[in-house]
Amino acid sequence: MVVRNRRNLTSVSTDRTAHTNPFVPGFGSTPPALVGREAEFADIEAMIGRVRQGIYEQPRLLVGERGLGKTALLIEVTVWARRQRLWQVDLQAAETGDLTPHLMRDLREHLLAHDRDARVVDLVRRALRVLSSFSVTYGVGVKLDLTKESGRADTGDLATDLGDVLIATCQAARSVGTALLVTVDEVQKMPGPQLEALLTAVQRVYKDRSDPRANLPFALIAAGLPDALDTIRHLGGTFGERVRVHELDMLSVPETIEALVIPARERSVRWDGDALDRLALRTGGWPVAVQQYGYDAWNAGTGSLIASTEVERALITAERALDRIYAGRLRDTTDRQRAYLQAMAGLPAAERTSAAVAKRLGSTSRAWGSTRDGLIRSGLIRPDGYGRAAFTLPGFEDFLHRS
Ligand SMILES: Nc1ncnc2c1ncn2[C@@H]1O[C@H](COP(=O)(O)OP(=O)(O)O)[C@@H](O)[C@H]1O
Ligand SMILES: [Mg+2]
C-alpha cells in the first residue's frame, strides 16, 4: 500500500525520456511513491492527534542507515502536518551552525500569523515577547517590534531560555487550538551542547503544568543514523529512556516492486517481469538504491517497456553511482574498522564469526571486540546470530571487493 502519492500528474505522457524519468536518486527528495512506511506514519499521526488533546506523548526517533528514507518520511509528515495547520519547525542539524535562529524565525512566523486574532492575542503577544527576550539574550537578530518579557528567556542558560520560548509558544498554540511540532533531521550531527540544551528544554515543556488538566501540545520527531540513540541516551538524561524509536527497515520485495512499478505505470511505462524481479532483488530494498536502479533502468531505453537488456545495463551503472555512498560511509570509519570490514568481506557470509574474522586479522576476538562494537553501533554491520556479523547495506560487500 502506498501511504501517499503526492506527485500530481496533470499531463500523462507515454514518452520515456530522461525528462520524464520519475525516479529520484540521491538523498532528501520525495519519492514518486513512498512505500512501506505505513506503520511509522500511522504512529506519528496518532501521536499528533493525542498531543493536540493535551495527552502526553513520547518524542519519536527515526533511526536507520543512510538512504533508508528517514528524511523522506519526515518530509511526508511535515507536509501532512501543514495541512493539519500545525505550527511546525523543521530543523536540519549540522556539525557547524546554530539552530536557534531558524527556530526563532519559524516560531515568529506562526505567532505573527495569529497576532491579529483578538480572541487569542494575549498569549500570542506574550510568546512574541519571550521570543524578543531570547533574541536579545542571544543576539539572534530576529526582528520583533515588541518589548521583552522580563524574567523570561534572559538567563543566558540556553536550555532554560529555549524552554521558556517553547513553553510560551506551546501555550499560544494551545490557545488557538493547534500544536507545535518540531522535527530535527540528522540529529547525530548536532553539536553536543546544543542537543543537550534542546533535550533539556523539551523536558521542561513536557513537565509544564500551566493547565493542570493537560500537557502542552508539543511533539518532537528526530531522525538520525543508528548511533543517534546512543548520543541521545548519553546526553539527554532520562530523555533517552522516554524516546520511542522507529528503526526503519529495508523495503520488502513486494514494496520494492511497488516503488518501481507505480511511478512507471503513471507514465504508461511497463517493466519486463523477470528483469524487474532481478532489479528489485539487487536493490536489497534499500530505498536510495531502489531510486537509483529505477532511474538508470528508465534512462537505459526509450520504449514503453523497460526491457531485460536495459535492466542489465542499469545493474552496472547504478552500482557505480551507489559507490559514492559506500565510499562516503567508509570515509567515516577508522583504519581498524576498515581492516575489520575487509577481513569480513574475505570470508563467506556463513563464517563471519568474531573468532574467524579476528583470526584472519591474526589476532583474537577480544582484541577486535571494540572495533566490531563500533561498527555495529554505527550501523555498518549487524549481529547475525551465532556470533556472526553481516553487512547492513546491500551491495556494500561487493563494493569492498571492488575497492
Ligand atoms: N519509502 C520509500 N519508498 C520509496 N523510495 C523512498 C522511500 N524512502 C525514501 N525513498 C527514496 O530514497 C532516497 C533516500 O531517502 P532519504 O530519505 O534521503 O534517506 P535518509 O534520510 O534515510 O538518508 C530518496 O531518493 C528517497 O526519495
Ligand atoms: Mg536524510
Side-chain angles (χ1 to χ4, degrees):
M1 209 188 82
V2 180
V3 172
R4 231 158 236 96
N5 189 1
R6 217 177 316 114
R7 198 142 301 183
N8 191 7
L9 289 176
T10 40
S11 63
V12 174
S13 157
T14 51
D15 274 354
R16 178 172 158 218
T17 69
H19 293 264
T20 58
N21 194 331
F23 297 101
V24 286
F27 295 96
S29 61
T30 305
L34 181 85
V35 302
R37 301 296 182 228
E38 293 83 6
E40 292 83 2
F41 198 86
D43 170 66
I44 289 170
E45 252 178 321
M47 156 193 179
I48 288 169
R50 285 163 56 86
V51 156
R52 289 185 93 143
Q53 301 171 59
I55 302 170
Y56 168 73
E57 269 286 348
Q58 296 160 285
R60 302 298 198 268
L61 176 65
L62 309 173
V63 294
E65 256 301 332
R66 287 208 188 289
L68 263 173
K70 302 177 292 295
T71 302
L73 184 54
L74 277 184
I75 294 173
E76 196 69 19
V77 167
T78 55
V79 167
W80 171 83
R82 210 165 289 142
R83 279 204 301 269
Q84 304 291 310
R85 302 197 168 280
L86 253 63
W87 290 3
Q88 163 206 328
V89 180
D90 307 320
L91 301 174
Q92 174 77 42
E95 282 102 354
T96 54
D98 181 0
L99 291 179
T100 50
H102 183 156
L103 180 69
M104 294 304 134
R105 256 196 318 276
D106 283 13
L107 293 180
R108 182 192 61 162
E109 287 286 298
H110 293 304
L111 290 164
L112 285 179
H114 288 275
D115 192 29
R116 303 258 170 279
D117 188 341
R119 285 173 302 133
V120 298
V121 96
D122 278 0
L123 283 169
V124 170
R125 279 277 157 82
R126 181 172 176 279
L128 283 164
R129 287 196 303 273
V130 177
L131 239 64
S132 279
S133 301
F134 188 95
S135 304
V136 172
T137 310
Y138 293 91
V140 168
V142 175
K143 266 193 91 163
L144 290 156
D145 305 322
L146 282 167
T147 45
K148 297 191 290 167
E149 177 82 4
S150 68
R152 284 283 171 260
D154 59 3
T155 67
D157 174 54
L158 182 60
T160 306
D161 297 340
L162 211 49
D164 284 350
V165 165
L166 290 177
I167 287 171
T169 308
C170 287
Q171 287 168 345
R174 177 161 63 197
S175 75
V176 301
T178 188
L180 175 63
L181 166 66
V182 176
T183 66
V184 188
D185 200 3
E186 303 270 16
V187 67
Q188 80 282 344
K189 287 191 186 162
M190 210 162 157
Q194 264 196 47
L195 181 58
E196 198 170 2
L198 179 67
L199 298 184
T200 310
V202 166
Q203 301 257 44
R204 276 194 56 213
V205 177
Y206 287 131
K207 284 195 192 128
D208 176 88
R209 277 291 168 278
S210 49
D211 176 346
R213 290 153 307 162
N215 276 80
L216 283 176
F218 175 79
L220 177 72
I221 309 174
L225 289 178
D227 45 6
L229 183 60
D230 282 346
T231 314
I232 286 179
R233 289 225 166 100
H234 185 69
L235 288 174
T238 59
F239 195 95
E241 294 148 29
R242 288 188 175 206
V243 70
R244 185 184 298 174
V245 180
H246 285 298
E247 274 180 48
L248 296 191
D249 287 328
M250 297 290 168
L251 305 176
S252 67
V253 174
E255 287 162 353
T256 304
I257 293 202
E258 275 197 331
L260 291 163
V261 165
I262 293 172
R265 195 168 53 213
E266 283 173 343
R267 285 159 173 74
S268 305
V269 171
R270 291 171 302 119
W271 289 84
D272 173 88
D274 291 341
L276 173 64
D277 288 346
R278 217 164 38 249
L279 185 105
L281 275 184
R282 182 71 81 83
T283 67
W286 187 24
V288 73
V290 173
Q291 297 300 326
Q292 184 71 56
Y293 279 99
Y295 182 85
D296 283 15
W298 181 283
N299 279 356
T302 53
S304 64
L305 177 78
I306 304 178
S308 179
T309 50
E310 294 162 4
V311 165
E312 289 309 318
R313 284 207 295 283
L315 290 181
I316 297 163
T317 55
E319 189 173 73
R320 292 286 168 272
L322 292 173
D323 276 357
R324 257 173 290 141
I325 303 178
Y326 301 126
R329 276 313 257 134
L330 210 54
R331 266 198 305 279
D332 295 340
T333 58
T334 64
D335 289 347
R336 269 177 82 82
Q337 286 177 334
R338 273 195 292 280
Y340 197 89
L341 292 168
Q342 290 291 357
M344 260 181 74
L347 289 166
E351 292 170 27
R352 289 171 186 157
T353 62
S354 308
V357 177
K359 191 166 162 220
R360 242 186 116 80
L361 290 160
S363 182
T364 62
S365 29
R366 171 180 281 207
W368 286 88
S370 67
T371 305
R372 183 176 187 272
D373 290 347
L375 285 168
I376 291 174
R377 263 201 313 282
S378 77
L380 268 179
I381 65 174
R382 57 183 166 76
D384 195 26
Y386 305 104
R388 281 192 311 241
F391 293 108
T392 311
L393 296 180
F396 190 63
E397 177 179 352
D398 292 338
F399 168 77
L400 289 173
H401 286 303
R402 282 199 300 279
S403 66

